Amino acid sequence: MKEQVEKIISLAKEELAKVEKEADVLNIKSKYIGKKSELNNLLSSLKEMSNEEKKEFGPFLNNKKKELEQLFNDKIVALEEKIDLNFDETIPCNVSLGSLHPVTIVAKEVTDILNRMGFTVLKGFEMEDDYHNFEALNIPKDHPARDMQDTYYLDNKKLLRTQTSGDQVHAMENYGVPLRVCSPGRVFRNEDIDASHENTFFQLEGMVIDKNIKIENMFYVMREVLKEVFKTDVKVRLRPGFFPFTEPSFEMDMNCLICGGKGCPTCKNSGWIELIPGGMVHPNVLKMSGVDPNEYTGFAFGIGLTRLAMMKYKINDIRYLNSGDLRVLDEFEIE
Ligand code: DAH
């Protein structure tokens, strides 16, 4: 029997030496030590042997089976070690890269330049209270200016802010004066939607309060902001405006870049786009936030970031910007 087993082992070794694949090793393994193998049959025949024989052949057969098992396992390890490790960085890639939203880009450009001029960038609240959105801005309950901003009122007595101007009030309350802050953010109005009106859009509020602040300081800031965003001197004009929280109030308009000033639906055929309203902060607003208007003056302005993005990227319909359609956004050349 011992000879028979040695023969099995040498045959197994011979076969093993010829193969190079793990699957082949496993086949040989099952042939030599599997259930139906010759060696297994010999092991089964132990049952019929005498105790003497069992003592002699039992350990022998088991040891030989272990020896063979070790041979197969060693071969598998050797084959695994032989696998060449190559590196190839050319993984096919069909994932398109995202880009920033046009409004995000202009918001960043505006806050960057204001930041360089010493403005702190703040973040206000989309869910606001009546006091900060209206009252503290000199717009009491029955003021007709409330009609200009159709408001979404919430069940919890709060509202979705209609303007970022309330952040002026938060800033004065939280930081006192002197003050130089700006606050970009989303605002909401219950508007009928068309090419230039959306119920959700973006503004940026700016405010400077100090001693001896003049309106000319505001015009300078506005012009620098537009230069930064459009990378060139853009044609602007100034008109008197009306806002309850500034006195005097102005509107800085910009030549419509969609039609070059000829007139189009985006500029309501006027050739001009209202871009930056602002003015000297009304003494009532200062007083309500605990600032003495005899000692401090200041200016505030509100930039229509959504409109600014439309002008910069020549987007003629505001609805594209909120559509969330990446195919649309991909069309804008954004550096
Ligand atoms: N919040 C105003 C609006 O949404 C814009 C505005 C006007 C902001 C004058 C100002 C300002 O800070 O001084 O129509």
Side-chain angles (χ1 to χ4, degrees):
M1 177 193 272
K2 286 189 178 169
E3 256 171 48
Q4 190 186 353
V5 172
E6 294 304 343
K7 184 105 196 280
I8 291 172
I9 292 179
S10 77
L11 279 175
K13 279 184 181 167
E14 237 171 71
E15 276 196 54
L16 208 52
K18 286 186 210 147
V19 296
E20 288 298 327
K21 285 191 202 133
E22 192 176 327
D24 295 336
V25 177
L26 293 175
N27 282 337
I28 300 170
K29 185 177 175 182
S30 99
K31 178 173 163 192
Y32 285 95
I33 55 173
K35 270 194 188 138
K36 290 180 188 155
S37 63
E38 208 179 328
L39 193 61
N40 223 47
N41 286 340
L42 288 174
L43 276 163
S44 306
S45 65
L46 279 172
K47 279 180 262 159
E48 283 114 45
M49 291 185 195
S50 66
N51 282 347
E52 288 280 289
E53 284 171 323
K54 271 184 197 162
K55 262 189 198 157
E56 190 185 348
F57 294 116
F60 171 79
L61 283 173
N62 277 316
N63 284 340
K64 288 297 169 185
K65 190 179 178 185
K66 268 188 204 144
E67 190 183 313
L68 268 180
E69 205 155 16
Q70 190 62 43
L71 269 177
F72 296 124
N73 291 345
D74 287 351
K75 177 81 181 188
I76 288 171
V77 171
L79 284 179
E80 277 169 359
E81 278 169 4
K82 266 177 102 180
I83 294 170
D84 283 341
L85 197 53
N86 291 321
F87 300 97
D88 183 349
E89 78 281 11
T90 59
I91 303 163
C93 177
N94 53 8
V95 178
S96 68
L97 289 179
S99 61
L100 292 175
H101 190 280
V103 173
T104 308
I105 293 171
V106 294
K108 182 161 185 333
E109 284 169 346
V110 176
T111 48
D112 276 355
I113 174 119
L114 289 175
N115 204 219
R116 269 182 268 141
M117 289 179 177
F119 286 68
T120 303
V121 184
L122 304 178
K123 195 169 184 301
F125 308 97
E126 291 178 358
M127 186 171 71
E128 186 56 283
D129 51 45
D130 190 280
Y131 177 77
H132 288 90
N133 196 75
F134 292 125
E135 293 270 351
L137 291 167
N138 208 24
I139 314 174
K141 291 264 168 341
D142 49 359
H143 198 288
R146 290 204 178 203
D147 294 342
M148 286 155 47
Q149 301 185 358
D150 265 335
T151 311
Y152 290 110
Y153 287 97
L154 305 174
D155 287 346
N156 61 2
K157 299 217 170 73
K158 293 206 170 187
L159 47 84
L160 292 183
R161 65 174 173 190
T162 57
Q163 50 187 350
T164 46
S165 300
D167 294 346
Q168 298 178 18
V169 182
H170 286 294
M172 286 188 282
E173 286 171 351
N174 292 337
Y175 306 110
V177 287
L179 194 67
R180 203 182 286 207
V181 290
C182 66
S183 177
R186 197 195 318 248
V187 302
F188 310 86
R189 289 188 199 173
N190 193 358
E191 297 261 11
D192 286 337
I193 295 171
D194 61 28
S196 49
H197 294 90
E198 254 288 7
N199 55 19
T200 304
F201 52 101
F202 289 82
Q203 291 186 335
L204 176 138
E205 199 69 18
M207 179 184 232
V208 174
I209 311 262
D210 212 328
K211 294 183 175 164
N212 304 317
I213 293 290
K214 301 182 289 290
I215 195 69
E216 288 83 355
N217 299 134
M218 182 179 81
F219 297 149
Y220 170 76
V221 170
M222 289 176 169
R223 194 195 60 191
E224 289 305 298
V225 164
L226 292 178
K227 263 205 222 165
E228 170 85 6
V229 173
F230 293 98
K231 314 282 183 247
T232 169
D233 267 329
V234 289
K235 212 165 144 195
V236 292
R237 74 174 185 188
L238 208 61
R239 286 182 296 121
F242 170 76
F243 300 98
F245 37 98
T246 43
E247 182 57 36
S249 304
F250 300 90
E251 301 246 14
M252 189 176 267
D253 297 344
M254 189 183 129
N255 205 234
C256 177
L257 295 181
I258 306 267
C259 59
K262 287 195 207 92
C264 67
T266 308
C267 61
K268 295 195 205 105
N269 291 316
S270 69
W272 294 93
I273 294 279
E274 291 171 21
L275 217 51
I276 317 189
M280 295 301 287
V281 180
H282 197 292
N284 286 353
V285 174
L286 293 175
K287 267 190 254 169
M288 272 186 273
S289 290
V291 178
D292 181 357
N294 296 317
E295 201 183 345
Y296 286 97
T297 52
F299 63 80
F301 56 91
I303 301 179
L305 290 177
T306 303
R307 272 200 200 156
L308 201 58
M310 288 172 76
M311 282 297 107
K312 173 157 177 162
Y313 296 110
K314 303 198 170 48
I315 300 165
N316 62 9
D317 195 318
I318 193 171
R319 286 166 290 197
Y320 288 140
L321 287 173
N322 283 3
S323 69
D325 188 337
L326 296 179
R327 287 167 309 174
V328 174
L329 295 177
D330 273 351
E331 298 212 343
F332 307 127
E333 267 181 45
I334 292 166
E335 66 273 11

